[in-house]
């Protein structure tokens, strides 16, 4: 059965690639061919599966320059002789080598097509080494408009970091820059000037001093890792402190790297890291990357969800740069960046979307993890108040799901509209232990996997035991919020939904004279007999719906 599934998977990928290839020349709502080359599974991507990256680079902060190579190990799925590797301008791909032979490269914008001379037979494990150099795009407003941040610390030392959400990792190193596949493991070698240190993903295997007053830091990642939220470089005058957390899978090494002047502040502020781990292992299951450790690394921007190397720039303050995004006060009980970005270890790095159009999977569950952190440490009332308070950030400007195959994200509402959608699902489940089991099962079923929206919809529908197609169409693919219209007349209560899509179903609890009553509204009016004409009706704000009560 596993063998048949593998064959079907290969057939599906290749078929989709052929379809995408036919569409590459077409514009989709103004998208360009470059968008399609970046965002689709092209034929030149579909035929090979990445198994191992060996990234070896030299970073020269004085010139804002990177040079080096990536040796790409891959498994041949189908015969082909053209391999697409992505690298964004102004970096230059200078050479590609296989079995000691230089290969022809056809450059098309940020996509580079390497013509192989060796016969590529299904099942073979081959490798190609790609060389590159140049001045990578400088981050304009990291992490949202990313690239490489070339900064200085207060002592004048270089302070450098990568961030590439949305842009993709090919903004600073050559790779297969699409989310549908993750490399199985990876080596990262970064040479930097002394006395700077580089911190990347996984574990530090070796430190290698060089004769030219530089040092190469060798890191190794044992687990599968995605490009944008995974691989990173962080270069600075770092000092390190660490601890061992007794987690669900045993000892977990937790390492912290901060600028020298911030050591004392970090030792106090980073206590939230073990509080985070305690809460999230409870809700989501074991931290997914024990073999690679957990790290917090100070950077010159706000922060990002790099796998096993979470970056931090929240100025050692609680809240979001000292502010409570929910307006409830609960957001000041934790360091937003430590909690939010670490939540992505489960939702983004363990469970990863196949297409950036489904980025809501990462951001909605992770935004919701903030309230689950509060639930664990401060109780369910605090969690409810926080997630409800976060609604003030919702715009309902466009759907949460973006356009597929063109590297396009949905609305920024994927954070807190998504979180409130998930909280509404929790209200539907109405059992705290069952809800916890569902979240833990999700991380077990999709462990180290790439998924689609449909995968998540199907899993939740099956786990909750309800048809959720209309529910997800309402919240993911529509901007209208369901409105429950309640009208009391004497001892009767009529109710119905407005602003709903076809097949929207959401049983909802209301309170009648201090008694909880479950109703199943539809688009058609229904009538409920009340105990008396003086009955008092109350609604529950935990559901992400609007109410109209007459």
């Amino acid at each position: 059965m596993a063998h048949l599934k593998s064959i079907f998977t290969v057939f599906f990928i290749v078929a989709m690639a052929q379809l995408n290839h036919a569409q590459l020349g077409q514009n989709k709502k103004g998208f360009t061919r470059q968008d399609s080359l970046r965002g689709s599974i092209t034929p030149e991507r579909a035929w090979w599966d990445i198994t191992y990256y060996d990234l070896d680079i030299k970073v020269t902060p004085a010139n804002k320059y990177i040079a080096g190579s990536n040796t790409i190990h891959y498994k041949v799925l189908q015969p082909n002789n053209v391999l697409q590797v992505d690298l964004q301008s102004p970096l230059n791909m200078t050479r590609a080598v296989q079995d000691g032979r230089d290969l022809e490269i056809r450059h098309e914008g940020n996509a580079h097509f390497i013509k192989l001379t060796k016969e590529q037979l299904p099942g073979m494990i081959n490798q190609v080494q790609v060389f590159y150099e140049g001045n990578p795009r400088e981050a304009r407003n990291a992490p949202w408009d990313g690239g490489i941040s070339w900064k200085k610390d207060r002592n004048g030392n270089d302070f450098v970091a990568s961030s590439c959400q949305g842009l993709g990792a090919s903004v600073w190193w050559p790779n297969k820059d699409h989310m549908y596949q993750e490399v199985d493991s990876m080596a990262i070698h970064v040479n930097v000037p002394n006395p700077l240190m580089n911190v990347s993903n996984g574990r530090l295997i070796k430190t290698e001093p060089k004769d030219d007053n530089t040092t190469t830091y060798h890191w190794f990642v044992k687990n599968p890792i995605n490009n944008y939220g995974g691989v990173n470089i962080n270069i600075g005058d770092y000092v390190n402190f660490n601890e061992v957390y007794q987690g669900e899978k045993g000892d977990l090494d937790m390492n912290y790297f901060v600028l020298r002047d911030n050591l004392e502040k970090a030792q106090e502020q980073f206590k939230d890291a073990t509080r985070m781990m305690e809460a999230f292992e409870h809700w989501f299951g074991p931290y997914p990357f024990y073999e690679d450790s957990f790290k917090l690394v100070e950077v010159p921007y706000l922060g990002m969800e790099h796998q096993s190397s979470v970056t931090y720039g929240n100025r050692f303050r609680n809240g979001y740069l000292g502010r409570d995004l929910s307006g409830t006060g609960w957001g000041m009980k934790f360091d937003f960046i430590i909690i939010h970005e670490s939540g992505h270890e489960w939702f983004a790095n363990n469970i990863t979307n196949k297409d950036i159009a489904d980025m809501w999977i990462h951001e909605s569950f992770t935004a919701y993890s903030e309230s689950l952190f509060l639930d664990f440490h401060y109780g369910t009332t605090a969690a409810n108040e926080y997630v409800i308070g976060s609604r003030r950030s919702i715009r309902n400007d466009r759907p949460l799901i973006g356009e597929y195959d063109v590297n396009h994200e949905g609305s920024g509402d994927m954070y807190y509209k998504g979180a409130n959608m998930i909280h509404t699902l929790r209200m539907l489940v109405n059992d705290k232990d069952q809800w916890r089991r569902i979240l833990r099962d999700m991380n077990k079923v999709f462990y180290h996997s790439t998924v689609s929206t449909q995968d998540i919809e199907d899993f939740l529908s099956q786990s909750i035991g309800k048809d959720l197609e209309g529910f997800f169409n309402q919240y993911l693919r529509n901007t209208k919020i369901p409105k429950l219209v309640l009208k009391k007349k004497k001892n009767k209560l009529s109710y119905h939904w407005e602003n709903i899509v076809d097949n929207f179903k959401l049983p909802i609890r209301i309170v009648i004279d201090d008694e909880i009553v479950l109703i199943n509204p539809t688009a058609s009016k229904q009538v409920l007999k009340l105990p008396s004409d003086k009955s008092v009706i109350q609604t529950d704000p935990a559901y992400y719906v609007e109410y109209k009560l007459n």
Side-chain angles (χ1 to χ4, degrees):
M1 182 66 73
H3 180 62
L4 290 175
K5 182 178 179 182
S6 176
I7 292 173
F8 175 78
T9 300
V10 172
F11 174 80
F12 175 77
I13 290 173
V14 173
M16 288 303 296
Q18 292 169 344
L19 177 62
N20 287 333
H21 188 264
Q23 297 172 338
L24 285 180
Q26 303 172 7
N27 282 358
K28 182 179 181 182
K29 293 186 178 180
F31 293 104
T32 67
R33 175 171 166 80
Q34 279 296 305
D35 293 324
S36 295
L37 287 172
R38 170 75 172 84
S40 63
I41 306 173
T42 63
E44 295 81 10
R45 282 172 167 160
W47 66 271
W48 56 287
D49 178 34
I50 42 175
T51 60
Y52 181 69
Y53 285 140
D54 193 337
L55 181 64
D56 189 355
I57 62 174
K58 181 181 183 72
V59 181
T60 310
N63 300 324
K64 299 182 178 179
Y65 199 80
I66 294 179
S69 71
N70 184 24
T71 302
I72 302 169
H73 299 239
Y74 63 93
K75 181 178 182 179
V76 179
L77 303 177
Q78 292 288 314
N80 203 312
N81 69 336
V82 179
L83 180 145
Q84 178 182 338
V85 176
D86 305 288
L87 182 68
Q88 297 181 34
S89 175
L91 289 170
N92 297 305
M93 186 178 294
T94 58
R95 188 183 176 207
V97 178
Q98 185 166 73
D99 295 341
R101 182 177 300 177
D102 277 33
L103 304 171
E104 177 187 336
I105 307 174
R106 179 172 64 84
H107 307 281
E108 186 175 348
N110 298 326
H112 308 269
F113 298 94
I114 300 171
K115 187 174 182 180
L116 307 171
T117 57
K118 174 181 177 179
E119 186 177 11
Q120 307 291 310
L121 299 175
M124 292 179 68
I125 304 294
N126 294 329
Q127 63 186 65
V128 59
Q129 187 173 14
V130 177
F131 295 84
Y132 77 109
E133 61 182 82
N135 299 100
R137 170 191 165 122
E138 188 165 354
R140 301 184 179 112
N141 184 28
W144 305 278
D145 193 356
I148 301 293
S149 297
W150 306 96
K151 304 293 184 181
K152 300 278 189 181
D153 67 18
R154 69 182 70 179
N155 298 317
N157 299 303
D158 287 298
F159 193 20
V160 180
S162 61
S163 59
C164 49
Q165 182 168 344
L167 283 169
S170 59
V171 75
W172 68 274
W173 62 287
N175 60 84
K176 187 178 193 176
D177 205 358
H178 193 284
M179 301 292 289
Y180 83 104
Q181 277 185 0
E182 294 182 337
V183 68
D184 297 337
S185 59
M186 181 171 182
I188 307 168
H189 318 276
V190 183
N191 178 263
V192 297
N194 295 335
L196 302 177
M197 178 182 187
N198 172 74
V199 181
S200 288
N201 316 82
R203 292 185 184 270
L204 183 61
I205 302 302
K206 183 172 67 171
T207 301
E208 184 180 6
K210 300 289 187 178
D211 293 337
D212 60 352
N213 199 32
T214 66
T215 300
T216 300
Y217 292 87
H218 300 270
W219 296 83
F220 186 77
V221 183
K222 281 191 175 182
N223 288 290
I225 187 167
N226 68 65
N227 295 338
Y228 98 90
V231 186
N232 68 344
I233 53 172
N234 307 288
I235 300 165
D237 181 26
Y238 287 125
V239 292
N240 167 241
F241 64 102
N242 56 74
E243 60 186 318
V244 176
Y245 177 76
Q246 303 297 319
E248 288 196 15
K249 290 178 67 175
D251 290 349
L252 172 61
D253 293 323
M254 301 185 69
N255 277 279
Y256 312 111
F257 296 85
V258 297
L259 295 182
R260 192 169 303 277
D261 289 352
N262 294 330
L263 176 60
E264 188 174 340
K265 288 185 288 188
Q267 287 173 329
E268 180 61 30
Q269 190 70 10
F270 285 7
K271 290 178 181 177
D272 260 3
T274 52
R275 297 176 74 221
M276 170 279 299
M277 198 62 69
E278 186 181 12
F280 289 169
E281 285 210 328
H282 170 83
W283 282 109
F284 305 141
Y287 171 69
F289 310 107
Y290 269 71
E291 300 85 352
D292 292 322
S293 79
F294 173 86
K295 294 183 291 299
L296 281 177
V297 188
E298 186 179 359
V299 290
Y301 62 87
L302 185 61
M304 205 177 138
E305 62 263 31
H306 300 104
Q307 183 173 310
S308 76
S309 180
V310 173
T311 51
Y312 176 88
N314 202 39
R315 302 175 189 170
F316 307 98
R317 303 167 70 182
N318 277 6
Y320 179 99
L321 294 173
R323 296 182 292 114
D324 175 12
L325 295 181
S326 75
T328 64
W330 290 113
M332 298 307 295
K333 296 292 187 181
F334 59 90
D335 187 309
F336 177 92
I337 290 299
I338 294 177
I339 304 310
H340 179 91
E341 302 304 346
S342 298
H344 277 303
E345 296 290 72
W346 285 264
F347 296 99
N349 296 332
N350 186 41
I351 302 174
T352 308
N353 55 239
K354 290 181 179 177
D355 190 298
I356 200 172
D358 290 334
M359 184 65 78
W360 76 269
I361 298 169
H362 298 191
E363 300 299 354
S364 299
F365 281 96
T366 302
Y368 189 58
S369 75
E370 299 159 27
S371 66
L372 292 178
F373 173 85
L374 287 168
D375 194 307
F376 184 85
H377 288 288
Y378 300 98
T380 301
T381 298
N384 289 350
E385 290 177 1
Y386 179 85
V387 73
I388 293 168
S390 72
R391 292 175 189 169
R392 62 186 193 162
S393 298
I394 299 173
R395 296 170 296 175
N396 281 311
D397 55 346
R398 55 193 179 93
L400 302 195
I401 297 177
E403 296 285 344
Y404 289 100
D405 299 322
V406 286
N407 197 49
H408 179 259
E409 293 183 8
S411 169
D413 280 347
M414 68 178 76
Y415 290 84
Y416 291 118
K417 180 179 179 179
N420 276 276
M421 173 190 72
I422 294 168
H423 191 60
T424 302
L425 282 178
R426 178 179 180 174
M427 299 301 295
L428 183 61
V429 172
N430 195 34
D431 183 312
K432 191 170 184 177
D433 291 337
Q434 183 186 355
W435 183 238
R436 178 187 175 215
R437 284 195 299 273
I438 289 170
L439 295 175
R440 290 174 66 93
D441 285 348
M442 183 184 299
N443 276 279
K444 186 183 298 182
V445 169
F446 299 117
Y447 183 74
H448 290 177
S449 295
T450 59
V451 300
S452 66
T453 287
Q454 195 61 55
D455 292 331
I456 299 301
E457 288 188 33
D458 291 345
F459 172 84
L460 289 171
S461 294
Q462 182 176 356
S463 297
I464 294 172
K466 294 187 181 296
D467 175 12
L468 297 176
E469 180 182 6
F471 178 92
F472 286 115
N473 286 340
Q474 181 79 46
Y475 288 106
L476 293 178
R477 302 175 177 90
N478 195 285
T479 58
K480 296 186 296 184
I481 302 305
K483 180 184 289 186
L484 181 60
V485 179
L486 299 153
K487 187 172 182 179
K488 178 176 175 290
K489 187 174 182 180
K490 294 185 178 179
N491 69 334
K492 292 183 178 179
L493 178 70
S494 67
Y495 56 91
H496 68 278
W497 287 120
E498 291 182 355
N499 293 339
I500 60 170
V501 301
D502 292 343
N503 199 35
F504 176 77
K505 299 173 185 176
L506 178 61
I508 191 166
R509 287 180 293 280
I510 60 174
V511 177
I512 302 174
D513 295 337
D514 297 325
E515 182 179 345
I516 297 173
V517 177
L518 181 68
I519 59 176
N520 286 276
T522 66
S524 301
K525 287 185 180 179
Q526 300 180 63
V527 177
L528 176 68
K529 187 174 181 181
L530 301 172
S532 76
D533 57 4
K534 294 182 180 179
S535 290
V536 177
I537 312 299
Q538 295 175 288
T539 57
D540 189 340
Y543 295 88
Y544 184 45
V545 300
E546 295 177 352
Y547 294 102
K548 182 179 178 181
L549 177 59
N550 294 325

